[in-house]
DNA sequence: CGAAGATTGATCGTTTTCGATCATTTTCCA
DNA sequence: TGGAAAATGATCGAAAACGATCAATCTTCG
C-alpha cells in the first residue's frame, strides 16, 4: 500500500526551502497538517475516516493532528471530523508556520501579555508570535488595540467590548499585513503604551533587530516612534537566521521576550544586551 | 474563550417578522429551518445541542430539520451537527425559497461585477452583498481593490497578484468594518473607478439611499466623493425597510442593482428614478 | 366540536466516536 | 551507532449520536 499521497509536491515545501533554511523541510506531520487545513479550506468539512484513508494513517493520529490544529485555531473539531473556521481565510502556508514552534510561541506570548497593564493601548505588529499575544489579550477588557495584521484584527474582532483600530495600507501576502507610506502615516496618528514587535531575526553580535523587507522595517520604526515601551517577541530560531532590513538596535527597545532555546546565545552576549532579554518557560 | 454567537439572531427575526407576515407567515418549522440555513451560511457549522438550546426544541426535531434540509441540498449532515455546503444550483421546491436571499445576492453580485472593467480600481463598501461582488471579482486580474470590510479583505487576500488596500480605522462589530474620521481621511487619499456601495435601505418615495448609522453614512459619502461611478447593491428586502441615516439621493448615484423582488416598487417610481435601477435575474 | 393529519418529544437498543493507555516504530542526536 | 525522545498504531471502556418507534400535542377543516 502506498503510504502517502504525494500527487502534488505542495508549494509549501518549496516555501520552506526558501525561507526556513535554518530548520530544513517540513516534518511529515507538519506537511500532513498543512494539507488538512488546505483541504478544509476547500471543502469546509472533512471526516476522520476520509483523512485516515487519504493519508493512510490511523484514527488516533488523525485525532492528534486535529487536536493540535484546533489548538492553533486553524479549525474546529466536531464529532467525527473538523470544520473550517471562517473568520479569515488562512492558507496552508501560514497554517504550517503557525503550528511550528507553537508551544514556544505560546510561552513567549504569555510572558509578553503579562507586561500589558489594564487600560493600556497596545500596538500589535503583524506576525504569528504577535498573534499569539493577541489571543492572550483578547479576553481582557479595558484595552485598546491597534494592529496592521489581518489575522490579528480577525482574532480580536471575535470579542465584544474592545476598541480595535486597524492600520490601513497596502496588503502584502508575505506576512498578511498592511504596510507602505499610507500605513506609516496612519500609525503616526496614534500614541501607544505598549508595542508588541515581531522580529524576523535578531543579530546579537551586531546588536540588531531585523525584518524581512525595507517596507516592513519602515512600518516597524513608525510603530516604535509612537510607543512608550517596545516589547520584541521572537522564538529562538530567530537568533540563528538573518534577514534583510535593520529595524533598530537591541539596546533601544524595552525588552526582548524569547524561549529557552536561545539561552546559550543570550548568555554569550555582553551585559548591556543581556539584561534586555527575558526567557519564557 | 467566548466568541459571540448571538449576533445574527436579532436581525434574522426582524427580517422574518417584518417581511414574511403579510403574505402568509412561515410555519414554525419553516422559520426554524430558514434560520438554521442562515446560521450555517455565517458560521459553517452548527451542532445539534446548540440548535436545541437556541430554538428550545428536542434533538429529534433538530434531526428531522437537518435531514429535510439535507434532502433539499441546503446543508450536509455530520455526526452531531451540520455543515454548510458551497452550493451551486438547487431544485426549486421548498429549497429555492429558503436560499432565495442568497441566490438573489449572487445574481445581483454577478451583474454588478459585470460593470467592472479590466484595470479598474474598485472600492468595495463593507456588507454581505458587496462581499458577494468581491467573490466574483477576486479571480480577475489587473484590478486594484480598496475596502473597509474585514471579510472582504480576507476574501480578496486569498488570491495572489492583486493590489489590495485596506482602509484603516476603528473596527465596528455591526458590519465588521473600519470607519470613523481616520477611515474617511484614509479613503480621501484614493481615486477609484467604481464604488460598490451597500445600502441598508432604499426609500423610493423620498428618493434616498440610507444606512444604519451616521458613522457609516459619513464613510459612504467619502467613498462616493472619490469614485467616478457609484454602483449601489441592494436586495429587494431593502426597499421595505427603513434605516437611520441618509447617505445620498438615488438620482446622484450611477446605478442601483437589485433583484426581481423589487420590481413592483420600482415600477411605481417616477421615471427619473426608475432608469437608475437594474434588475438582476 | 371533533376527527384526521401533521408536528413534536421521549424512549431504547445499536452504532459510532472519543479519550486514555500502552506497545511499537521512527526520528533525532550525542 | 546506540539510546532517548517523538510519532504512530492498537485496544478498550465510556460517552455521544443515531435511527426507529410510539405517545402526546398542535392544526386544520368538515
Amino acid at each position: 500500500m502506498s503510504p502517502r499521497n504525494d500527487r502534488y509536491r505542495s508549494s509549501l515545501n518549496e516555501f520552506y526551502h526558501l525561507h526556513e533554511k535554518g530548520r530544513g523541510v517540513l516534518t511529515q506531520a507538519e506537511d500532513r497538517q498543512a494539507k488538512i487545513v488546505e483541504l478544509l479550506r476547500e471543502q469546509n468539512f472533512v471526516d476522520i475516516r476520509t483523512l485516515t484513508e487519504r493519508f493512510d494513517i490511523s484514527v488516533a493520529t488523525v485525532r492528534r493532528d486535529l487536536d493540535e490544529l484546533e489548538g492553533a485555531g486553524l479549525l474546529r473539531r466536531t464529532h467525527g471530523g473538523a470544520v473550517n473556521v471562517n473568520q479569515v481565510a488562512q492558507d496552508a502556508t501560514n497554517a504550517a508556520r503557525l503550528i511550528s514552534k507553537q508551544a514556544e510561541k505560546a510561552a513567549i506570548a504569555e510572558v509578553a501579555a503579562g507586561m500589558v497593564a489594564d487600560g493600556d493601548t497596545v500596538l500589535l505588529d503583524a506576525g504569528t508570535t504577535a498573534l499569539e499575544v493577541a489571543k492572550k489579550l483578547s479576553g481582557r477588557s479595558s484595552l485598546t488595540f491597534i494592529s496592521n495584521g489581518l489575522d490579528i484584527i480577525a482574532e480580536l474582532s471575535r470579542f465584544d467590548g474592545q476598541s480595535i483600530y486597524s492600520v490601513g495600507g497596502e496588503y502584502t501576502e508575505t506576512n498578511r499585513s498592511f504596510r507602505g507610506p499610507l500605513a506609516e502615516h496612519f500609525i503616526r496618528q496614534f500614541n501607544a503604551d505598549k508595542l508588541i514587535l515581531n522580529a524576523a531575526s535578531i543579530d546579537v553580535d551586531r546588536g540588531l533587530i531585523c525584518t524581512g523587507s525595507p517596507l516592513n522595517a519602515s512600518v516597524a520604526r513608525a510603530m516604535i516612534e509612537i510607543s512608550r515601551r517596545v516589547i520584541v517577541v521572537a522564538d529562538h530560531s530567530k537568533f540563528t537566521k538573518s534577514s534583510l532590513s535593520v529595524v533598530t538596535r537591541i539596546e533601544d527597545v524595552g525588552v526582548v521576550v524569547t524561549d529557552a532555546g536561545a539561552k546559550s546565545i543570550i548568555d554569550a552576549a555582553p551585559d548591556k544586551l543581556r539584561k534586555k532579554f527575558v526567557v519564557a518557560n
Side-chain angles (χ1 to χ4, degrees), chain A residues 60-233:
Chain A
T61 303
V62 172
R63 289 216 184 89
R64 274 185 284 252
D65 281 348
L66 296 182
D67 287 345
E68 208 171 324
L69 291 167
E70 182 174 43
L74 293 167
L75 52 77
R76 183 161 148 222
R77 289 292 318 272
T78 72
H79 264 255
V83 293
N84 192 18
V85 294
N86 65 356
Q87 309 281 348
V88 154
Q90 311 242 12
D91 67 358
T93 314
N94 280 281
R97 223 172 18 185
L98 276 174
I99 300 156
S100 67
K101 303 187 212 65
Q102 180 67 24
E104 287 97 329
K105 281 179 181 165
I108 292 168
E110 188 69 46
V111 171
M115 296 174 176
V116 172
D118 286 352
D120 272 357
T121 293
V122 186
L123 177 52
L124 291 151
D125 184 26
T128 53
T129 315
L131 174 59
E132 288 301 312
V133 179
K135 284 180 185 170
K136 305 279 185 194
L137 291 175
S138 59
R140 284 171 56 177
S141 56
S142 75
L143 294 176
T144 300
F145 296 102
I146 312 165
S147 181
N148 66 329
L150 176 56
D151 297 315
I152 290 174
I153 296 293
E155 168 63 27
L156 295 171
S157 79
R158 300 171 60 211
F159 293 84
D160 266 336
Q162 334 190 88
S163 269
I164 306 168
Y165 292 85
S166 174
V167 172
E170 182 168 16
Y171 174 79
T172 177
E173 179 59 30
T174 52
N175 62 346
R176 298 170 66 77
S177 75
F178 310 114
R179 65 184 189 187
L182 288 167
E184 291 166 35
H185 177 258
F186 193 94
I187 289 167
R188 283 187 222 278
Q189 294 177 278
F190 287 91
N191 183 22
D193 295 305
K194 305 285 159 58
L195 164 62
I196 308 295
L197 185 68
N198 236 81
S201 73
I202 293 180
D203 186 331
V204 175
D205 291 337
R206 298 177 57 205
L208 297 177
I209 289 166
C210 302
T211 191
S213 88
L215 283 168
N216 288 350
S218 189
V219 167
R221 277 192 294 270
M223 288 180 163
I224 290 172
E225 275 177 37
I226 64 135
S227 300
R228 275 181 42 219
R229 182 170 172 79
V230 178
I231 301 166
V232 177
V233 290

Side-chain angles (χ1 to χ4, degrees), chain A residues 39-57:
Chain A
L39 209 61
L40 264 180
R41 256 195 56 194
E42 290 165 13
Q43 334 184 332
N44 256 344
F45 176 82
V46 281
D47 68 30
I48 289 186
R49 177 106 44 95
T50 304
L51 292 174
T52 61
E53 286 167 7
R54 165 134 196 192
F55 298 111
D56 194 32
I57 52 177

